[in-house]
Amino acid sequence: GAVVSQHPSWVICKSGTSVKIECRSLDFQATTMFWYRQFPKQSLMLMATSNEGSKATYEQGVEKDKFLINHASLTLSTLTVTSAHPEDSSFYICSAKVQGRMNTEAFFGQGTRLTVV
Amino acid sequence: GEDVEQSLFLSVREGDSSVINCTYTDSSSTYLYWYKQEPGAGLQLLTYIFSNMDMKQDQRLTVLLNKKDKHLSLRIADTQTGDSAIYFCAEGVSGGYNKLIFGAGTRLAVHP
């Protein structure tokens, strides 16, 4: 159990377009999901915390108008990279906490590799 | 602020033990975690330790926690080639939504 699925696994888009990445909890409900960004050979940087039914909480330095997060249901959060530029190319990973469970474990998706050309 | 540091690279011979070290700064962290990431994949939780514990053992994995020095280590016994990956240390920051702060990751290379 506790599977988190991201879609797509990889995407290539043209500069100036928008890309949506989905993060789904397949067999549990997740009131809170986290979005991370990982540059090559670097750590995961938390971008924002996504809460079902409310606005996301963004980390300092992350542009909320550029990285739109929607957490419309207990099993789905989406990250939209708007007006993408080559510097947005990165590996984006989401994680989800099981509703009602203490934070002993966060389950991670397999990641989405975004390449902006 | 919160910060997690770990060495970037470790090379070991197959069958030897691997020890990956990590230091963190938030003394109020409730849980500390070790994650494994294989190339192009997401993160897999290996183990975690509650902050009031000194040691936790799970099969080939042993986690040691020195809370006074804010030092965490992961020992992998009988390291195999399949253990080659990047290992991330993370601290659970208390308050709010209990977000995780990750270290830069230690790349473990296992050679014959």
Side-chain angles (χ1 to χ4, degrees):
Chain A
V3 177
V4 176
S5 176
Q6 271 184 251
H7 178 81
S9 297
W10 59 271
V11 58
I12 301 173
C13 72
K14 290 185 177 181
S15 187
T17 61
S18 295
V19 175
K20 180 185 285 188
I21 302 170
E22 294 184 346
C23 179
R24 293 182 185 271
S25 55
L26 296 186
D27 50 3
F28 66 99
Q29 292 185 327
T31 50
T32 304
M33 291 184 176
F34 303 89
W35 286 97
Y36 295 85
R37 181 174 181 177
Q38 184 181 32
F39 291 101
K41 299 183 180 180
Q42 294 189 29
S43 184
L44 281 74
M45 301 300 296
L46 179 65
M47 299 174 66
T49 303
S50 167
N51 301 290
E52 187 266 335
S54 64
K55 291 183 179 180
T57 303
Y58 289 82
E59 294 298 303
Q60 191 173 4
V62 178
E63 298 175 62
K64 62 181 180 181
D65 294 329
K66 174 141 184 90
F67 298 100
L68 300 179
I69 291 172
N70 186 304
H71 195 154
S73 77
L74 286 172
T75 58
L76 174 64
S77 175
T78 60
L79 168 68
T80 301
V81 183
T82 62
S83 187
H85 289 280
E87 56 264 31
D88 298 325
S89 298
S90 191
F91 194 57
Y92 293 87
I93 305 178
C94 72
S95 73
K97 289 172 52 180
V98 178
Q99 182 182 17
R101 185 184 293 184
M102 288 181 63
N103 187 37
T104 56
E105 186 168 1
F107 299 94
F108 283 79
Q110 76 273 28
T112 297
R113 184 163 301 284
L114 169 64
T115 302
V116 184
V117 297
Chain B
E2 309 116 0
D3 191 24
V4 178
E5 294 188 358
Q6 37 181 141
S7 51
L8 295 181
F9 187 75
L10 177 66
S11 177
V12 298
R13 190 184 301 273
E14 189 175 13
D16 288 350
S17 294
S18 307
V19 179
I20 303 172
N21 295 299
C22 168
T23 57
Y24 61 97
T25 57
D26 190 340
S27 58
S28 65
S29 293
T30 307
Y31 292 95
L32 295 132
Y33 305 80
W34 284 104
Y35 284 87
K36 177 183 180 181
Q37 184 182 36
E38 298 188 18
L43 271 68
Q44 173 195 355
L45 177 66
L46 287 177
T47 186
Y48 63 89
I49 187 168
F50 190 49
S51 60
N52 69 353
M53 298 171 63
D54 297 324
M55 185 183 83
K56 180 178 180 181
Q57 187 157 359
D58 184 2
Q59 299 182 334
R60 292 191 298 122
L61 305 179
T62 302
V63 179
L64 295 178
L65 174 61
N66 182 328
K67 195 172 181 181
K68 174 177 173 291
D69 294 337
K70 300 189 187 69
H71 182 268
L72 182 74
S73 68
L74 173 70
R75 178 177 181 270
I76 305 173
D78 187 25
T79 311
Q80 302 297 308
T81 54
D83 295 323
S84 295
I86 300 176
Y87 291 81
F88 290 95
C89 166
E91 62 173 342
V93 177
S94 59
Y97 300 101
N98 289 316
K99 62 184 181 182
L100 297 179
I101 304 299
F102 286 84
T106 299
R107 184 177 296 274
L108 174 65
V110 183
H111 56 88

